[in-house]
């Protein structure tokens, strides 16, 4: 696993060095709006801990962090009106590493919704 770079943009957001459009926050998780939205709803869900990627987070986060993260995904999907219960739906994406074209090396999950998104990848 690459070493965590504490100068990455999301680390700086977590330290309050860069402003962000926060949607919600818990003890372990922050949700804010993506600066380059690709859908009417485009959220970034990030752990507050220093995890580089989804595989790092999944392998090394505490149970409390893992549960908090996933419960926060459920909460914001409901709050933003994109949940299944709202009759909508969304896409959760975690670009990971070089092949996944991950731009920011702090684990984040994109929550995209607010319209029918089309197929996941071009064929
Ligand atoms: P990814 O390719 O999965 O690493 O996407 C990183 C996302 O982060 C991309 O959709 C744009 C977003 N992003 C980059 N810098 C900032 C920032 O300073 N603020 C916010 N809100 N989003 C950012």
């Amino acid at each position: 696993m690459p070493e965590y770079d504490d100068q990455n943009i999301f680390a700086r957001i977590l330290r309050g060095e860069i402003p962000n459009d926060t949607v919600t926050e818990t003890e372990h998780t922050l949700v804010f709006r993506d600066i380059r939205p690709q859908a009417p709803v485009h959220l970034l869900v990030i752990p507050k801990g220093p995890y580089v990627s989804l595989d790092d987070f999944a392998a090394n986060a505490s149970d409390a962090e893992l549960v908090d993260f996933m419960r926060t995904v459920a909460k914001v999907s409901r709050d933003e009106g994109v949940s299944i219960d709202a009759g909508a739906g969304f896409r959760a994406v975690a670009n990971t590493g070089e092949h996944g074209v991950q731009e920011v090396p702090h684990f984040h999950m994109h929550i995209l919704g607010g319209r029918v998104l089309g197929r996941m990848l071009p064929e």
Side-chain angles (χ1 to χ4, degrees):
M1 193 61 63
E3 203 171 311
Y4 182 79
D5 169 14
D6 68 6
Q7 292 307 311
N8 79 75
I9 198 93
F10 294 170
R12 298 188 64 203
I13 283 175
L14 283 165
R15 289 196 297 269
E17 295 169 9
I18 295 175
N20 74 92
D21 190 355
T22 296
V23 173
T24 197
E25 186 171 6
T26 67
E27 182 183 358
H28 297 297
T29 308
L30 176 69
V31 185
F32 54 100
R33 296 191 193 280
D34 195 292
I35 205 166
R36 297 195 302 264
Q38 295 181 48
V41 174
H42 188 168
L43 310 177
L44 295 169
V45 186
I46 70 171
K48 291 184 175 176
Y51 301 102
V52 173
S53 57
L54 172 59
D55 47 354
D56 184 16
F57 182 68
N60 299 315
S62 68
D63 290 0
E65 290 172 302
L66 289 161
V67 169
D68 186 77
F69 188 93
M70 295 309 287
R71 295 276 192 257
T72 301
V73 169
K75 176 180 162 32
V76 292
S77 72
R78 285 195 306 270
D79 291 352
E80 293 284 314
V82 299
S83 66
I84 291 280
D85 286 345
F90 61 91
R91 182 167 294 152
V93 176
N95 296 321
T96 304
E98 184 183 346
H99 287 193
V101 194
Q102 180 179 358
E103 183 187 330
V104 180
H106 180 112
F107 168 49
H108 50 282
M109 183 173 283
H110 298 258
I111 303 292
L112 298 142
R115 64 171 168 81
V116 177
L117 295 166
R119 299 184 75 84
M120 191 166 69
L121 293 172
E123 289 174 356

